[in-house]
């Protein structure tokens, strides 16, 4: 089972910051938080990941709470092309290193 | 650019035939690749873990004789849907880990998926 919970859907106005929350209250100390997104009929696209420090790259910022039980993905200036399903994932630590996807958040960017 | 290539992107086949889907890591070696299946408006469901040089590990409920996985080299894994039926119609996605060193710190890259339609 997925180790994360996310709201099923969110709306955001174009040009505004989109803040997508994720709860991962059972995360282990050596597990990373990853974010991916999937645009319709495409494979998931990697966005960002982090362990405990906040991270930023050209696509987004990742804010992880101090207790690491939740995180927020921030798209600073959302565009219509950011409409997608966003998945927050915690790496499952086992010998197979497999990733189990939850249901994600369907983000609608409104013009 | 894409680091995992999946082919074909779309395939239509008749019921009872077999279909092979290829997944290639383009500029890195992947000892482990993963195959997912996705039905409309649902999340990705992990089908199996493909291990180079050894047998694949299948998730519970996935028929290994129906979904044959071969990981013959460090850059290629194939999924063959045998004796396909209309209920096998789905979006199949492969993925592979990239990077050296700490595997938990390397992103998982995905192919662009294969839309299989069985008529």
């Amino acid at each position: 089972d997925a180790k994360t919970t996310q709201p099923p859907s969110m709306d955001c106005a174009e040009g505004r910051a989109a803040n997508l929350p994720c709860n991962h209250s059972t995360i282990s100390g050596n597990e990373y938080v990853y974010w991916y997104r999937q645009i319709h009929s495409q494979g998931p696209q990697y966005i960002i990941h982090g362990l405990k420090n906040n991270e930023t790259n050209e696509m987004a910022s990742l804010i992880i709470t101090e207790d690491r039980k939740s995180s927020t993905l921030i798209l600073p200036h959302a565009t219509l092309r950011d409409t997608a399903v966003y998945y927050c994932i915690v790496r499952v630590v086992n010998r197979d290193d497999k990733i189990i996807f939850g249901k994600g958040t369907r983000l609608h960017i409104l013009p | 650019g894409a680091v995992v290539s999946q082919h074909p992107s779309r395939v239509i086949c008749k019921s009872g035939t077999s279909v092979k889907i290829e997944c290639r890591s383009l500029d890195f070696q992947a000892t482990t690749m993963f195959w997912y299946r996705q039905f409309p408006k649902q999340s990705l469901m992990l089908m199996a873990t493909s291990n180079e040089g050894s047998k694949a590990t299948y998730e519970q409920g996935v028929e290994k004789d129906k979904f044959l996985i071969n990981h013959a080299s460090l850059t290629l894994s194939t999924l063959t849907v045998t004796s396909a039926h209309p209920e096998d119609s789905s979006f199949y996605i492969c993925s592979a880990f990239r990077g050296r060193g700490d595997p938990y710190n390397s992103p998982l890259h995905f192919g662009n998926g294969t839309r299989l339609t069985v008529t």
Side-chain angles (χ1 to χ4, degrees):
Chain A
D1 292 340
K3 295 180 67 175
T4 62
T5 56
Q6 300 175 251
S9 66
M10 292 182 63
D11 292 337
C12 178
E14 188 178 17
R16 304 297 294 269
N19 297 282
L20 291 89
C22 180
N23 287 321
H24 31 81
S25 58
T26 60
I27 190 170
S28 300
N30 60 347
E31 290 180 310
Y32 288 74
V33 180
Y34 288 80
W35 283 83
Y36 292 83
R37 73 179 181 184
Q38 186 179 24
I39 296 170
H40 182 62
S41 293
Q42 296 183 23
Q45 176 190 23
Y46 165 78
I47 302 173
I48 199 168
H49 73 285
L51 181 62
K52 54 184 177 181
N53 297 322
N54 297 337
E55 303 286 346
T56 296
N57 63 20
E58 64 278 4
M59 290 182 68
S61 295
L62 173 61
I63 308 298
I64 303 175
T65 58
E66 192 169 344
D67 63 8
R68 300 210 323 123
K69 293 184 177 182
S70 64
S71 61
T72 301
L73 177 74
I74 302 172
L75 308 178
H77 305 287
T79 70
L80 296 177
R81 287 177 291 183
D82 292 321
T83 293
V85 178
Y86 287 76
Y87 295 100
C88 167
I89 294 159
V90 167
R91 286 291 304 275
V92 177
V93 179
N94 61 32
R95 61 187 174 124
D96 295 316
D97 299 330
K98 58 190 178 186
I99 288 182
I100 305 298
F101 283 80
K103 297 184 179 181
T105 296
R106 188 172 297 274
L107 177 65
H108 299 277
I109 304 301
L110 307 175
Chain B
V3 296
V4 174
S5 173
Q6 193 171 336
H7 179 80
S9 59
R10 189 179 297 268
V11 59
I12 301 172
C13 72
K14 293 187 176 181
S15 187
T17 61
S18 296
V19 173
K20 180 184 286 188
I21 302 169
E22 293 187 348
C23 180
R24 295 180 184 273
S25 56
L26 296 183
D27 60 354
F28 67 101
Q29 294 182 336
T31 56
T32 303
M33 292 185 177
F34 301 90
W35 288 95
Y36 292 85
R37 179 168 55 181
Q38 186 175 35
F39 293 107
K41 298 193 182 300
Q42 295 187 21
S43 184
L44 288 79
M45 185 190 78
L46 180 67
M47 298 176 66
T49 301
S50 170
N51 302 297
E52 188 269 336
S54 64
K55 291 182 178 180
T57 304
Y58 290 82
E59 295 298 302
Q60 189 174 8
V62 178
E63 300 176 59
K64 63 179 181 180
D65 294 329
K66 181 169 185 62
F67 299 100
L68 300 179
I69 292 173
N70 185 291
H71 196 151
S73 77
L74 287 171
T75 60
L76 174 64
S77 176
T78 60
L79 168 68
T80 301
V81 183
T82 63
S83 186
H85 291 287
E87 55 265 31
D88 298 324
S89 298
S90 188
F91 193 52
Y92 293 86
I93 305 169
C94 71
S95 64
F97 285 120
R98 180 178 189 174
R100 299 183 178 88
D102 176 9
Y104 302 124
N105 200 24
S106 60
L108 184 65
H109 288 274
F110 291 82
N112 255 338
T114 297
R115 175 78 56 193
L116 170 63
T117 303
V118 184
T119 61

